[in-house]
């Protein structure tokens, strides 16, 4: 991922780093679950987790579609956590509706921990795997450079409450034609999520995904989200990715 903008301000003892991605008005072709090319597996990067005070497993990851010229749709990821003995102690799934080629797209959620031998199971490993057989593919000529150049984040801010929750706010807009916008203008649906990362770079947890519509005239759309009872972290990244075929 190329970072579009880095914010130097320090909030809650962590650097707020924001990464933005847009999309284009290029029309994607009809979709198919049987690709006419040799599809490479979706990559899962920086997977990690945090345990809440209530004993729930929060997980987060960054997915990348390495297949140039092809959008991966409705990608299902299986989420499984195991203890030191190899027993599964948490399970679930996460679906990302659109993975454009080369665009880092986050996933995050929460799952219950369970064990027949202890009331406080401890996670030894986390597995996040894409179900490639169920992916729907569409052709596209949208490039990563176009995606990175299409959008702008305005006035990002983080704050921490006394109860340990983190509030994240930012304006997100499409660049106007006169501001270097490489794509023809029309309203675009996007998905915005903020992730917390530990100091080693592993994801910890994230906000609920926000569905936003960015209008072609360049008005800023407000992103507002809260992470309750946030774990200790080293960095916060805000991702804004296309959520529609273009």
């Amino acid at each position: 991922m190329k970072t579009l903008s880095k914010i130097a301000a320090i909030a809650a003892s962590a650097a707020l780093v924001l990464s933005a991605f847009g999309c284009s008005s290029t029309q994607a072709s009809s979709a198919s679950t049987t690709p006419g090319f040799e599809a490479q597996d979706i990559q899962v990067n920086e997977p990690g987790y945090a345990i809440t005070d209530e004993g729930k497993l929060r997980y987060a990851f960054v997915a990348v579609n390495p297949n140039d010229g092809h959008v991966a749709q409705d990608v299902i990821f299986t989420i499984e956590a195991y203890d030191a003995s190899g027993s599964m102690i948490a399970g679930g799934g996460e679906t990302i509706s659109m993975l454009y080629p080369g665009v880092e797209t986050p996933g995050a959620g929460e799952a219950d921990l369970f064990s027949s031998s202890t009331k406080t199971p401890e996670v030894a490993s986390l597995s996040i795997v894409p179900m490639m057989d169920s992916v729907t593919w569409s052709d596209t000529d949208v490039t990563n450079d176009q995606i990175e150049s299409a959008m702008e984040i305005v006035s990002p801010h983080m704050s921490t409450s006394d109860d340990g929750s983190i509030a994240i706010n930012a304006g997100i807009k499409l660049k106007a034609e006169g501001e270097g916008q490489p794509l023809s203008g029309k309203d675009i649906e996007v998905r915005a999520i903020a992730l917390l990362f530990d100091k080693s770079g592993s994801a910890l947890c994230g906000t609920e995904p926000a569905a936003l519509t960015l209008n072609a005239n360049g008005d800023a759309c407000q992103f507002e989200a809260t992470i309750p009872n946030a774990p200790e972290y080293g960095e916060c990244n805000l991702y804004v990715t296309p959520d529609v075929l273009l």
Side-chain angles (χ1 to χ4, degrees):
M1 172 189 68
K2 297 179 182 177
T3 302
L4 182 63
S5 58
K6 292 188 177 181
I7 308 304
I10 303 299
S13 301
L16 178 62
V17 181
L18 299 177
S19 305
F21 302 90
C23 50
S24 84
S25 59
T26 306
Q27 184 67 35
S29 70
S30 58
S32 173
T33 55
T34 305
F37 64 100
E38 187 174 348
Q40 301 178 62
D41 286 353
I42 302 298
Q43 300 166 1
V44 176
N45 298 332
E46 293 91 40
Y49 64 91
I51 306 300
T52 69
D53 292 342
E54 295 78 22
K56 291 181 178 293
L57 173 76
R58 288 174 171 170
Y59 59 84
F61 61 97
V62 179
V64 177
N65 169 17
N67 298 279
D68 290 341
H70 306 283
V71 180
Q73 297 174 243
D74 299 323
V75 184
I76 301 171
F77 296 83
T78 60
I79 316 294
E80 296 178 350
Y82 298 86
D83 63 16
S85 70
S87 297
M88 190 170 75
I89 55 175
E94 192 75 21
T95 300
I96 297 179
S97 59
M98 297 284 167
L99 280 171
Y100 275 77
V103 176
E104 291 190 321
T105 305
E110 188 175 276
D112 291 324
L113 290 170
F114 56 85
S115 174
S116 59
S117 59
T118 177
K119 293 183 179 179
T120 57
E122 295 186 3
V123 177
S125 62
L126 178 69
S127 172
I128 302 177
V129 179
M131 299 178 63
M132 295 301 299
D133 290 345
S134 64
V135 175
T136 299
W137 296 95
S138 294
D139 296 338
T140 184
D141 58 6
V142 176
T143 68
N144 199 30
D145 287 343
Q146 288 177 315
I147 287 173
E148 290 190 346
S149 301
M151 292 174 33
E152 182 179 358
I153 289 178
V154 182
S155 302
H157 177 71
M158 289 178 64
S159 60
T160 302
S161 300
D162 292 339
D163 61 3
S165 63
I166 294 174
I168 304 164
N169 302 274
I172 304 167
K173 70 173 189 174
L174 293 174
K175 290 183 180 179
E177 294 291 341
E179 297 175 337
Q181 170 62 265
L183 309 172
S184 58
K186 74 171 186 178
D187 294 354
I188 294 173
E189 296 175 13
V190 298
R191 173 180 177 267
I193 298 182
L195 297 188
L196 298 183
F197 293 80
D198 64 20
K199 293 180 180 179
S200 69
S202 295
L204 294 169
C205 60
T207 63
E208 293 287 335
L212 306 175
T213 299
L214 306 183
N215 57 46
N217 62 16
D219 291 340
C221 190
Q222 196 67 22
F223 172 82
E224 297 179 349
T226 300
I227 299 177
N229 191 22
E232 182 178 349
Y233 67 101
E235 186 173 276
C236 177
N237 288 5
L238 172 59
Y239 299 83
V240 185
T241 57
D243 203 32
V244 65
L245 282 176
L246 304 163

